[in-house]
Amino acid sequence: MSAVLFPCAEDAAEPILSATRLWLERAVIGLNLCPFAKSVFVKKQIRYALSTAMSADELLAELENELALLANTDADQLDTTLLIHPQVMSDFLDYHFFLAEAEALIRNNGYDGVFQIASLHPQYEFAGSEPDDVANYTNRAPYPMLHLLRESSIDRAVAAFPDAADIFERNIETMEKLGHEGWRKLWLG
């Protein structure tokens, strides 16, 4: 499932959506950073929602709409959403602090225990790491985005992958073996 959320010139939207799909295919699925992603990708159960928000308030409103859409759509049709917001929260610190507002929106709308957000950003930086630490690339995406996940889907995936608790450590090992040069080569050709 692919969508452009709000009116946006197709010539402006397509490069953003293409870069996001390429990142998903080559990094997330290709490096197996998320062993659960391939299934929903193949089944076309991912919504690529491109936001034209220019402020945190506009992005929160779009997030609320996307959560309602997920809540009202069967998981077999739509399992997860990538809310891509290239024009707002481009600074990682702003994005990081915005996540608390996004989590509050989930709680305030009664979605606690139903949905969660995975954070992805081009400048993603784990606490205590250096900006150029290759481990940060496990959460680096071509554009700032909020990955909306159904907790029920996460529970099913974790049950199917007994080593799910080790994913984070395995991803860091993968990125350290790949290195910066290997990461750059993913995007060639």
Side-chain angles (χ1 to χ4, degrees), residues 128-142:
S129 71
E130 294 296 321
D132 65 343
D133 187 337
V134 75
N136 294 323
Y137 286 72
T138 63
N139 286 57
R140 288 200 177 168

Side-chain angles (χ1 to χ4, degrees), residues 115-161:
F115 299 117
Q116 65 177 257
I117 297 174
S119 53
L120 303 161
H121 194 280
Q123 301 164 356
Y124 196 93
E125 192 175 322
F126 288 109
S129 71
E130 294 296 321
D132 65 343
D133 187 337
V134 75
N136 294 323
Y137 286 72
T138 63
N139 286 57
R140 288 200 177 168
Y143 298 95
M145 65 181 81
L146 302 168
H147 183 186
L148 314 181
L149 298 148
R150 296 175 187 268
E151 294 222 0
S152 60
S153 296
I154 294 168
D155 293 342
R156 280 192 308 278
V158 168
F161 292 88

Side-chain angles (χ1 to χ4, degrees), residues 22-140:
L22 183 69
W23 162 79
L24 186 63
E25 290 175 26
R26 291 189 182 174
V28 177
I29 295 170
L31 296 175
N32 201 29
L33 297 177
C34 177
F36 322 128
K38 186 175 183 178
S39 173
V40 293
F41 180 77
V42 169
K43 294 177 187 174
K44 299 185 184 326
Q45 296 170 318
I46 301 170
R47 177 173 165 86
Y48 302 86
L50 180 57
S51 168
T52 59
M54 299 295 286
S55 70
D57 287 341
E58 289 175 357
L59 184 57
L60 279 173
E62 292 178 10
L63 174 58
E64 187 169 23
N65 290 336
E66 286 300 319
L67 289 167
L69 178 65
L70 269 177
N72 293 312
T73 306
D74 188 88
D76 289 336
Q77 297 298 311
L78 173 59
D79 192 71
T80 190
T81 296
L82 295 173
L83 179 54
I84 310 157
H85 47 94
Q87 300 178 96
V88 65
M89 303 296 150
S90 58
D91 179 80
F92 180 67
L93 270 179
D94 292 341
Y95 174 86
H96 176 73
F97 291 118
F98 174 82
L99 291 173
E101 293 181 57
E103 294 295 339
L105 185 134
I106 285 176
R107 283 189 306 279
N108 294 339
N109 283 291
Y111 295 134
D112 203 26
V114 178
F115 299 117
Q116 65 177 257
I117 297 174
S119 53
L120 303 161
H121 194 280
Q123 301 164 356
Y124 196 93
E125 192 175 322
F126 288 109
S129 71
E130 294 296 321
D132 65 343
D133 187 337
V134 75
N136 294 323
Y137 286 72
T138 63
N139 286 57
R140 288 200 177 168

